[in-house]
Amino acid sequence: MTAHALEWQRAAAALTRAMPRHRMVGNGMQATDADELHAGVSAGTPWSEVAARLARRQTRAAMAAIEAGDRQTARERFLRAAACYSFGQVPLEDGPAKRSLYRDLVEAFGRAGALLDPPAEHVEVPWRGRSLRGWLLRPAGVVRPPVVVVLGGIDAWREEYAAGAELVRDRGVALFLLDAPGQGETRVLGGLHLDRDVRLALSAAVTHVLADERLGDRVAVWGNSMGGHLAALLAAQDPRVAACVVTGGTVRPAETHTRFPRFLAKVQAMLGLDPEASRSLMDDLELDAATLAGLTCPLLVQHGRRDAVFKVANAREVHDLAGSADKTWQEWHDGDHCVDNHADEKYLAVARWLAPRLTGAW
């Protein structure tokens, strides 16, 4: 075996470990597409090339459904195309190729959203001369619904969690799928990185939601992975947050690159800093007991005991140190990072816990 062949086999194995079938299927990709993506990269085709090809195929199917007058199927196909683009861009470094796939992702998700009732809206929240970018999805037939701000992590962003968050929207809650500084469209297309004022940026998003007269006056935050850390940070310091969900989060975001040095490159991309400055900023983001004592709103923390990214003990501290009188800990003994291997259970648990606390129907 040549050195080149060995290298791409190692790269393929790393990608399939980072994005296993259950993660992709649980977060919006069609099962056959996930299988084809794994098979294609294992055969030597670049991951992003296979994913883009699958996305284009789903887009063609969506257009055919529109021509046939089948809006529901068209929306489902556009969402599957968006999922292919979302997972396809993950291994790419910031640059022209990643930006191209990300524009395709935004377009596909937007075309799916246009087929909703009411249609999804692409939103920009001004912040320091740039903007936080997100999608607002309102439930049909609900006047001034409450809102949950949904956050992703270091390389899994807002669209990846859209399919599961739909269970919350189905219960009368609007979704604001948001890319925080350093994430997704906000960074890749908008050039805005995460810094020490990230909580203030997220509070600006809360202000934006509360100023929308179509929406209610109760706002929750639900963060996944690094987004779980950010959700707890926001809820601890912004009293307007009415409820908080932390899925796969941590009090110590620096634990990733401390235990797994390869994560530092991802952290640098999120922060836009050199290695030393990145380590320093991540250390400063640690949530201490005094900060978490300020988290007094209802709190749900979910974690998998087999999470290889953030240790279960560091997630447990979010729950145990929070000042909330209404807090729930959910643990899966065989759960992986963000409990992606129990996606249906996880998302249903969030919907059943969160929606009643926002709508008052409990």
Side-chain angles (χ1 to χ4, degrees):
M1 181 178 294
T2 66
H4 175 72
L6 184 60
E7 180 61 28
W8 69 249
Q9 284 191 354
R10 287 173 177 167
L15 287 168
T16 54
R17 284 195 303 271
M19 288 172 280
R21 184 181 192 271
H22 63 256
R23 172 182 166 182
M24 295 189 290
V25 174
N27 291 297
M29 187 179 282
Q30 186 171 309
T32 53
D33 284 348
D35 291 339
E36 190 169 337
L37 178 53
H38 277 189
V41 73
S42 296
T45 305
W47 177 277
S48 299
E49 182 179 319
V50 180
R53 184 176 71 236
L54 295 169
R56 291 191 293 269
R57 187 169 69 193
Q58 290 286 4
T59 299
R60 289 193 295 271
M63 297 303 297
I66 287 177
E67 292 177 4
D70 187 348
R71 291 169 58 89
Q72 181 63 32
T73 296
R75 178 173 180 266
E76 291 169 355
R77 293 292 188 175
F78 279 131
L79 287 174
R80 288 169 175 172
C84 291
Y85 284 127
S86 178
F87 287 109
Q89 59 80 35
V90 170
L92 297 174
E93 296 181 357
D94 287 13
K98 193 178 187 80
R99 286 193 293 271
S100 178
L101 279 188
Y102 221 90
R103 290 189 184 95
D104 290 336
L105 162 59
V106 171
E107 180 180 2
F109 195 87
R111 294 175 84 171
L115 298 171
L116 279 174
D117 180 23
E121 301 169 38
H122 188 258
V123 176
E124 296 194 21
V125 179
W127 179 249
R128 293 185 173 172
R130 297 182 186 271
S131 63
L132 313 182
R133 304 185 185 187
W135 297 103
L136 177 64
L137 288 76
R138 292 178 290 137
V142 181
V143 177
R144 303 198 72 228
V147 186
V148 57
V149 178
V150 182
L151 300 169
I154 293 176
D155 64 5
W157 299 322
R158 61 189 187 197
E159 288 88 359
E160 184 165 338
Y161 300 101
E166 286 283 351
L167 294 174
V168 183
R169 180 176 167 272
D170 290 344
R171 287 164 169 79
V173 177
L175 306 175
F176 188 27
L177 307 174
L178 181 68
D179 281 331
Q183 297 178 334
E185 185 190 2
T186 296
R187 179 187 101 210
V188 176
L189 299 184
L192 185 61
H193 293 86
L194 187 147
D195 60 21
R196 286 175 174 81
D197 289 333
V198 62
R199 196 277 297 172
L200 298 178
L202 295 174
S203 285
V206 173
T207 298
H208 183 91
V209 167
L210 290 173
D212 190 330
E213 296 182 352
R214 301 168 301 169
L215 305 175
D217 58 3
R218 293 181 63 77
V219 179
V221 60
W222 171 15
N224 302 269
S225 190
M226 178 66 186
H229 172 88
L230 296 177
L233 174 67
L234 175 64
Q237 298 187 2
D238 192 327
R240 299 173 299 173
V241 175
C244 177
V245 178
V246 175
T247 301
T250 182
V251 293
R252 299 182 181 90
E255 67 173 291
T256 53
H257 61 270
T258 300
R259 290 187 293 118
F260 306 109
R262 64 183 176 84
F263 267 90
L264 186 58
K266 294 180 178 293
V267 171
Q268 285 183 251
M270 180 175 67
L271 306 181
L273 299 173
D274 62 37
E276 183 177 353
S278 294
R279 291 189 186 96
S280 175
L281 195 158
M282 293 295 277
D283 285 342
D284 289 348
L285 288 177
E286 182 169 337
L287 292 168
D288 58 21
T291 300
L292 285 169
L295 201 169
T296 57
C297 67
L299 171 68
L300 170 64
V301 182
Q302 301 177 309
H303 216 80
R305 181 165 289 277
R306 295 174 58 189
D307 190 327
V309 178
F310 292 138
K311 293 181 178 179
V312 66
N314 288 336
R316 184 79 206 196
E317 285 192 35
V318 176
H319 173 273
D320 293 351
L321 296 176
S324 175
D326 174 9
K327 54 185 178 179
T328 302
W329 171 260
Q330 294 179 344
E331 180 179 321
W332 281 258
H333 72 91
D334 64 338
D336 60 7
H337 185 50
C338 287
V339 204
D340 282 327
N341 58 333
H342 291 280
D344 290 345
E345 296 173 35
K346 169 189 69 173
Y347 287 130
L348 181 59
V350 172
R352 294 177 66 181
W353 183 92
L354 182 57
R357 284 168 172 80
L358 291 178
T359 63
W362 67 308

